[in-house]
Amino acid sequence: SDEARGILLDEFKEGRFANYRNKLDEVTAKIRGYRPKTWDENIYQIWLGMLASLVREPGEKSPAFARTGAWKRKQLNTALGSWVNLRYGTTAYDVKQVAAKEGEGGYERIDAGLPRGYVEPNPEFFHRLDKGFARISERFDRSTMEPDLKKTVAERIAEYRFHLQALERIARKELDNEPLTDAEYCKIHDIGATVEHFILVMNNIGEKGGEGTLKFSDSIRKIVDVQRHSRSNSRLYE
């Protein structure tokens, strides 16, 4: 991320440390020298490749707002937040509290017409996310012997991938300045409920517990990384 590099060197002045710039250049060159297939080797790499698509410099077709400094910072924050989640999830299985996007009620419904929503103009992100779910589905199919569970998970992931592919098409149309259909605007309007439904359903598959289910109960907080300052002995926990 060029934006992250600028923050490290220009704002935090990390270049004041001996050999910092050289090491930063070395790591940057190593990452950029990876072959494309490196990012498809496993689910972890697919996830990192998906995050990389968020922090790259936007293309020529990108709208003006996607080329601003504020947008680049927003993208970087999104990528870093997801990276922490990835580290947390691969340290041990975690259980997050559930919140409902569509849990409102008791109010008069107002029909303001069909809203004209917008999808983030980054089709590569949705494409990589779709590939990641495809790999998860393949791995799960091989890792469980319970037919009903295997069928249920496959169906749910296939349904969710259908939505991701729709978002990718919408993002490409936006970059090409093609008008969206009413159905596509409805897809954007309902995407929050779509994501919520997928998460709730996956969390409740096999809720009675037992071997071969997806339901776990482990609310212990995890620390995924620790950095210690050698002289002051202060620590940063992530």
Side-chain angles (χ1 to χ4, degrees):
S1 166
D2 292 335
E3 187 69 19
R5 181 186 180 90
I7 293 172
L8 290 171
L9 297 179
D10 301 334
E11 297 183 25
F12 293 164
K13 309 298 182 184
E14 300 285 9
R16 69 186 185 278
F17 298 111
N19 213 28
Y20 186 90
R21 286 179 180 268
N22 291 338
K23 287 298 181 181
L24 184 59
D25 291 341
E26 183 181 311
V27 171
T28 301
K30 178 179 179 180
I31 297 298
R32 290 182 175 173
Y34 284 165
R35 294 174 294 177
K37 70 177 185 179
T38 302
W39 303 105
D40 293 326
E41 288 180 353
N42 51 54
I43 295 172
Y44 193 93
Q45 289 294 97
I46 288 174
W47 192 323
L48 291 179
M50 177 183 68
L51 300 184
S53 74
L54 292 179
V55 298
R56 291 196 190 100
E57 289 298 304
E60 295 179 356
K61 290 183 176 181
S62 299
F65 67 78
R67 295 193 290 271
T68 63
W71 184 264
K72 293 176 183 178
R73 294 291 174 99
K74 191 274 293 185
Q75 296 292 80
L76 183 58
N77 273 321
T78 299
L80 291 174
S82 185
W83 178 80
V84 171
N85 209 19
L86 171 64
R87 292 279 290 143
Y88 187 85
T90 51
T91 300
Y93 191 88
D94 62 295
V95 177
K96 301 178 180 64
Q97 292 188 353
V98 175
K101 181 261 178 189
E102 293 216 334
E104 305 89 347
Y107 296 97
E108 179 183 356
R109 184 175 180 86
I110 299 176
D111 185 3
L114 190 67
R116 291 304 195 232
Y118 198 80
V119 166
E120 183 148 338
N122 191 336
E124 182 188 355
F125 171 78
F126 296 111
H127 178 71
R128 288 185 172 276
L129 188 56
D130 177 46
K131 287 179 62 176
F133 272 103
R135 184 68 64 87
I136 290 172
S137 184
E138 293 171 4
R139 292 290 297 274
F140 188 82
D141 184 71
R142 296 198 301 266
S143 65
T144 182
M145 301 300 293
E146 188 175 328
D148 290 342
L149 181 62
K150 182 183 298 190
K151 180 175 181 292
T152 301
V153 171
E155 288 176 349
R156 295 303 182 187
I157 292 180
E159 179 182 346
Y160 194 56
R161 289 186 62 203
F162 173 79
H163 295 294
L164 292 173
Q165 291 160 11
L167 294 178
E168 180 187 349
R169 289 193 299 272
I170 292 172
R172 294 191 186 281
K173 291 178 73 171
E174 290 173 347
L175 292 179
D176 292 333
N177 287 319
E178 295 182 21
L180 303 185
T181 65
D182 283 350
E184 288 169 331
Y185 279 122
C186 285
K187 175 72 69 177
I188 296 172
H189 177 262
D190 295 336
I191 193 61
T194 300
V195 174
E196 177 198 28
H197 180 258
F198 176 77
I199 293 172
L200 292 177
V201 168
M202 295 303 286
N203 280 346
N204 285 285
I205 290 177
E207 63 178 344
K208 295 180 180 179
E211 186 177 353
T213 71
L214 293 183
K215 196 66 175 178
F216 293 85
S217 179
D218 178 11
S219 58
I220 299 174
R221 192 171 186 176
K222 287 95 179 173
I223 296 173
V224 299
D225 201 9
V226 178
Q227 300 292 332
R228 184 174 67 85
H229 192 280
S230 58
R231 286 184 292 180
S232 67
N233 205 34
S234 58
R235 290 173 171 80
L236 168 67
Y237 297 95
E238 200 164 55

